[in-house]
Amino acid sequence: MSERKVTTIPVIPKLEHLRKVGIYCRVSSVRIDQLRSLSAQASHLTKTVLNSARWRLIDIYLDFHSGLDDNRPELQRLINDCKDGIIDTILTKSVSRFGRNTAETISLLRELKAIGVRIIFENEEIDTSKYESEFLITLIEAFAQEENYNRSENILWGLEKGMKDGTSQLYNRKCFGYRKNKNGGLEICPEKAEIVQLIFDLYLQGSSILSIIKELEN
């Protein structure tokens, strides 16, 4: 009697047992490099969700935020969807992408944790469902502080390197009264030179900024 060949079929979780995942991505401007970063964030996190048998992608929330603009409509939409039970798990790239600062991140974390929403910060490998609130807050503060320090160090290193090798544009930006020559350097723009000289003369005579503006308008 031949042996029967048995094929094991994996159990497919029912839809109601799947985690309802919302992906949140944010960039600080609409520059080309930032838009590419946003696309890469969304693409990578989408693949992460789709590769999990126990997750179901509900929606993707994308914000373009600058330091001068407090309006983040997609984050507000995400929070509202969490309150309505549409989303129960948030997947985001890092602590810094979720909140603008530590205080805001902790406030959002407390608000979402109170309604049973789980947040996963991929870079830091933090899953809010696995930690007590106070320990989690301490952890996030430490990550945020370290990230700010590293960001500052990287910026300073980049500026110093650019000045040493001559590639820095910090002191070579086009401003009023100057224009770029064929080599990319600054040179005086003759037709605007008289205006620049007038501004300096008025300032040296004691004119205020407002009076100089009025004189230029006249």
Side-chain angles (χ1 to χ4, degrees), residues 15-193:
L15 286 179
E16 59 265 28
H17 295 150
L18 296 178
R19 302 293 300 193
K20 297 174 288 188
V21 182
I23 291 173
Y24 180 71
C25 303
R26 176 177 72 88
V27 291
S28 55
S29 74
V30 292
R31 296 199 320 262
I32 293 298
D33 60 322
Q34 291 285 289
L35 294 177
R36 287 175 182 155
S37 172
L38 186 70
S39 175
Q41 284 182 53
S43 177
H44 170 70
L45 295 177
T46 297
K47 289 177 183 176
T48 301
V49 175
L50 296 179
N51 286 335
S52 174
R54 298 191 175 277
W55 286 358
R56 177 160 59 104
L57 180 60
I58 302 299
D59 207 343
I60 300 174
Y61 305 79
L62 308 175
D63 265 327
F64 307 90
H65 168 73
S66 69
L68 300 176
D69 180 14
D70 289 334
N71 186 31
R72 288 198 285 166
E74 286 294 274
L75 178 62
Q76 292 306 313
R77 186 169 72 87
L78 171 59
I79 292 172
N80 290 335
D81 284 350
C82 289
K83 291 177 179 178
D84 292 338
I86 298 171
I87 300 292
D88 61 27
T89 301
I90 297 172
L91 179 62
T92 190
K93 180 183 176 183
S94 67
V95 172
S96 64
R97 293 296 91 191
F98 191 63
R100 293 163 299 182
N101 51 55
T102 306
E104 184 190 57
T105 300
I106 291 173
S107 175
L108 289 170
L109 184 147
R110 283 175 169 156
E111 180 182 0
L112 293 166
K113 196 171 177 65
I115 58 176
V117 175
R118 170 190 186 189
I119 310 172
I120 299 172
F121 301 103
E122 189 188 54
N123 281 7
E124 295 83 3
E125 298 183 0
I126 295 177
D127 183 340
T128 61
S129 67
K130 298 180 180 179
Y131 298 95
E132 293 296 325
S133 295
E134 293 309 310
F135 175 73
L136 184 60
I137 287 168
T138 303
L139 197 62
I140 286 178
E141 285 179 331
F143 271 115
Q145 185 175 353
E146 181 66 18
E147 187 164 358
N148 286 336
Y149 173 77
N150 289 337
R151 188 184 298 119
S152 298
E153 288 291 301
N154 289 337
I155 291 172
L156 288 174
W157 178 84
L159 290 173
E160 289 177 2
K161 183 177 182 298
M163 285 186 281
K164 285 179 180 178
D165 61 24
T167 60
S168 174
Q169 296 296 310
L170 188 61
Y171 304 111
N172 199 29
R173 292 173 293 178
K174 189 172 71 172
C175 55
F176 185 81
Y178 293 84
R179 64 189 179 193
K180 290 285 184 75
N181 59 29
K182 61 181 181 180
N183 297 320
L186 291 180
E187 64 180 18
I188 294 174
C189 183
E191 58 268 27
K192 294 180 180 177

Side-chain angles (χ1 to χ4, degrees), residues 1 6 9 112 123 186 218:
M1 191 173 178
V6 178
I9 301 174
L112 293 166
N123 281 7
L186 291 180
N218 292 334

